[in-house]
Amino acid sequence: TAVSYVFSGATLTRDSQTVLDRLQDFSFTYSKSDGTAATVTSEIWTVEVNATLVRSGRTLKLRTRLFPRNATAKLAAWKKT
């Protein structure tokens, strides 16, 4: 089943359900095993998630890097749906 994330205004939704609000920035970055940008799903080795939240006048920057298990096979299957 495909999952859809949308960052619009200051809100991040997953399949139309609010995940986070008061976001200043949100992004996914897909990289190959050598650290350069992946341009097709079969090249993806890591997924970096970046978010900047604003709460009570304070800014919190979050970043995590994911190493998907069987990334090539799974992402190729998701792309087909």
Side-chain angles (χ1 to χ4, degrees):
T1 303
V3 175
S4 174
Y5 286 92
V6 176
F7 174 52
S8 179
T11 304
L12 174 68
T13 59
R14 178 181 187 247
D15 295 334
S16 301
Q17 298 292 319
T18 298
V19 177
L20 289 170
D21 59 5
R22 293 180 277 174
L23 279 170
Q24 195 172 56
D25 186 39
F26 182 82
S27 66
F28 289 110
T29 304
Y30 306 95
S31 301
K32 295 191 261 184
S33 59
D34 65 2
T36 60
T39 56
V40 295
T41 56
S42 61
E43 296 176 338
I44 296 173
W45 183 253
T46 64
V47 178
E48 186 174 285
V49 182
N50 292 286
T52 304
L53 297 94
V54 179
R55 299 285 192 270
S56 302
R58 295 180 180 237
T59 301
L60 176 63
K61 293 186 179 213
L62 305 169
R63 178 176 63 186
T64 191
R65 183 170 290 153
L66 309 169
F67 295 86
R69 184 174 21 170
N70 301 321
T72 303
K74 287 183 180 181
L75 290 171
W78 291 344
K79 179 96 172 148
K80 291 178 185 176
T81 60

